[in-house]
Amino acid sequence: MTHSITALIHHPYIAPAGFDAPQPGVFKASTVFFPSVAAMRSREWKDKSAYTYGLHGTPTTYALEERLCSLEGGSQCLLAPSGLAAVALVALALLKQGDEVLMPDNVYGPNKALAEGELRGWGISHRYYNPLEPADLAAKMSPRTRLVWVEAAGSVTLEFPDLPALLHIAKQGGALVALDNTWGAGLAFKPFDLIPGQQPVLGVDISAHALTKYPSGGGDVLMGSVITRDAGLHLQLKLAHMRMGLGVGANDAEAVLRALPSIALRYRAHDEATRTLARWCRTRPEFSQVLHPAMPDSPGHNNWKVLCKEGLGGAAGLLSVMIDARFSQVQVDAFCDALRLFRLGYSWGGPISLVVPYDLATMRSEWPSYLTQGTLVRFAIGLEDVEDLQADIAQALHAMV
Ligand SMILES: *Cc1c(COP(=O)(O)O)cnc(C)c1O
């Protein structure tokens, strides 16, 4: 090679192998090289034994997938560009025209929107079941039910369902069970082995997880995962994942790899502070109900106790309050605006506490009988000092009078 610009591009130096350090490297590629045409033709990427194209995996994404499998107790993992993309992948890979999907009425809202939009347009029907009434799920199962979503605790209202009962019903009806495991994060309970030690093992078929929340921990990454234990099911998801071109950026994968070692510590810290605030909120007359699975009168508390308290112990960092119906929407908005440490913003799992007022009536098929009337406000508790957070809520409540 005579020209230095060509030598610069085709540089012969190869760093020695064996670099070993706390964090895995960040490998960035669309193109991956093959040593020969024969290698190009025969290379198999599906079992992660090799590399063919950046979209199909790099050492960075393989490393993240394996660590997430360890966290959740699964065997195979796919990464998607957001939690919602992971949820959508499950539906798009597994449902076909004429199938029905059942979801709890408190499922993550955009999952409902997908069912009401694209899935309906493709001839896939959906129905919502009461997350606290397994008999309601049983009544809605039909030969067309291909997929049953479960979520524990449910989005925004945080009811904790009887997961083992829901799983038995769905499996008896021949449906696959997909869990949105964002709240539990693999730390509140083990999705593939709900009651450790019990035989036969009772677990979900698929765990979808918004890594955007606790695994990222920073409020700065969007990513999702789809974890399975069954190789055939994983392959079906993987082929759809490949055909739809879902992939994640190496720097984002590295950010999650960097945050993962501290996830259990962060989860516990969020959890402890949230319980402290939940107990205090229960003493405040402005709140007619405090929704948090570890509080004794929160809907589904006993289910949480059996699955989580007697298991790993976790309850995450979310807390919702029903602001008494005597306060107007204007007053509730004034309360949220008056908060100083709690910032107005969606999502959760990062260091900064967040607050969102929800219009629950527009989110549910019917107002749940176990909820009081009022306006629901959800807090996502960050990593600030809990006394400061409590003082912030207390001062903002003055804005409501
Ligand atoms: C945030 C969230 C998602 C979606 O994650 P994104 O990365 O924001 O798309 C899915 N499910 C639940 C329960 C969530 O809280």
Side-chain angles (χ1 to χ4, degrees):
M1 248 163 243
T2 48
H3 295 90
S4 63
I5 183 67
T6 303
L8 180 65
I9 294 167
H10 292 259
H11 204 280
Y13 178 78
I14 294 171
F19 181 75
D20 202 10
Q23 281 301 113
V26 184
F27 291 87
K28 305 177 81 165
S30 47
T31 298
V32 171
F33 297 135
F34 301 87
S36 67
V37 174
M40 194 170 211
R41 292 214 172 108
S42 66
R43 198 165 284 184
E44 181 52 79
W45 56 276
K46 291 194 210 69
D47 61 2
K48 293 196 204 173
S49 60
Y51 306 98
T52 49
Y53 190 58
L55 194 56
H56 302 161
T58 64
T60 310
T61 59
Y62 286 179
L64 179 55
E65 287 163 7
E66 293 304 311
R67 289 179 193 203
L68 291 168
C69 282
S70 301
L71 175 65
E72 297 203 33
S75 306
Q76 310 91 9
C77 174
L78 295 164
L79 298 174
S82 68
L84 182 54
V87 164
L89 168 64
V90 173
L92 271 48
L94 303 179
L95 297 171
K96 61 181 190 320
Q97 187 177 14
D99 287 346
E100 181 157 85
V101 53
L102 299 181
M103 321 175 148
D105 205 19
N106 59 358
V107 80
Y108 179 63
N111 198 0
K112 281 186 166 179
L114 177 71
E116 289 163 16
E118 279 68 21
L119 297 190
R120 175 180 282 155
W122 296 334
I124 298 157
S125 62
H126 65 276
R127 284 198 285 171
Y128 303 124
Y129 65 89
N130 181 334
L132 292 182
E133 280 184 30
D136 189 41
L137 173 64
K140 285 173 177 156
M141 292 289 299
S142 84
R144 291 173 47 228
T145 310
R146 169 79 178 133
L147 179 66
V148 173
W149 277 101
V150 292
E151 195 171 319
S155 281
V156 179
T157 36
L158 300 169
E159 302 94 326
F160 206 96
D162 183 347
L163 272 190
L166 296 178
L167 261 60
H168 279 303
I169 292 164
K171 282 167 187 265
Q172 229 160 36
L176 290 166
V177 179
L179 165 74
D180 186 325
N181 195 28
T182 307
W183 182 94
L187 296 166
F189 57 90
K190 290 293 172 198
F192 296 95
D193 200 355
L194 286 183
I195 304 152
Q198 178 181 287
Q199 289 295 334
V201 169
L202 180 67
V204 303
D205 297 298
I206 300 153
S207 169
H209 189 167
L211 309 178
T212 306
K213 310 289 169 51
Y214 295 121
S216 133
D220 57 350
V221 177
L222 286 156
M223 200 178 293
S225 59
V226 176
I227 296 184
T228 45
R229 257 194 192 180
D230 180 86
L233 183 58
H234 170 68
L235 182 61
Q236 191 179 353
L237 289 156
K238 182 163 195 144
L239 291 174
H241 178 267
M242 186 263 280
R243 292 189 283 250
M244 290 192 286
L246 299 179
V248 304
N251 286 338
D252 285 348
E254 190 267 349
V256 178
L257 278 166
R258 182 110 75 117
L260 269 185
S262 64
I263 188 173
L265 292 174
R266 291 183 283 108
Y267 193 88
R268 180 174 296 241
H270 289 292
D271 184 348
E272 275 178 18
T274 306
R275 290 191 214 201
T276 302
L277 285 173
R279 282 189 289 268
W280 175 77
C281 286
R282 280 155 53 90
T283 68
R284 296 294 310 206
E286 296 89 346
F287 304 142
S288 58
Q289 200 167 15
V290 175
L291 301 169
H292 181 289
M295 297 299 115
D297 48 4
S298 197
H301 168 70
N302 282 332
N303 298 327
W304 172 82
K305 223 166 114 181
V306 171
L307 199 69
C308 302
K309 191 179 179 197
E310 291 162 16
L312 302 176
L318 295 175
L319 159 68
S320 289
V321 293
M322 197 64 86
I323 300 194
D324 194 275
R326 72 177 184 273
F327 295 102
S328 68
Q329 184 69 58
V330 171
Q331 286 174 297
V332 173
D333 291 358
F335 163 70
C336 293
D337 279 331
L339 288 162
R340 294 180 191 132
L341 296 175
F342 285 86
R343 305 296 304 269
L344 285 160
Y346 294 107
S347 200
W348 37 278
I352 294 183
S353 291
L354 300 168
V355 62
V356 183
Y358 281 96
D359 185 0
L360 198 61
T362 64
M363 298 162 61
R364 304 290 283 257
S365 346
E366 56 186 30
W367 192 272
S369 58
Y370 45 78
L371 295 184
T372 57
Q373 295 294 317
T375 305
L376 190 141
V377 169
R378 187 192 70 186
F379 301 110
I381 308 308
L383 295 172
E384 302 95 336
D385 186 278
V386 68
E387 281 181 23
D388 292 337
L389 294 176
Q390 181 178 311
D392 193 27
I393 298 176
Q395 68 79 23
L397 283 171
H398 291 301
M400 285 214 301
V401 290

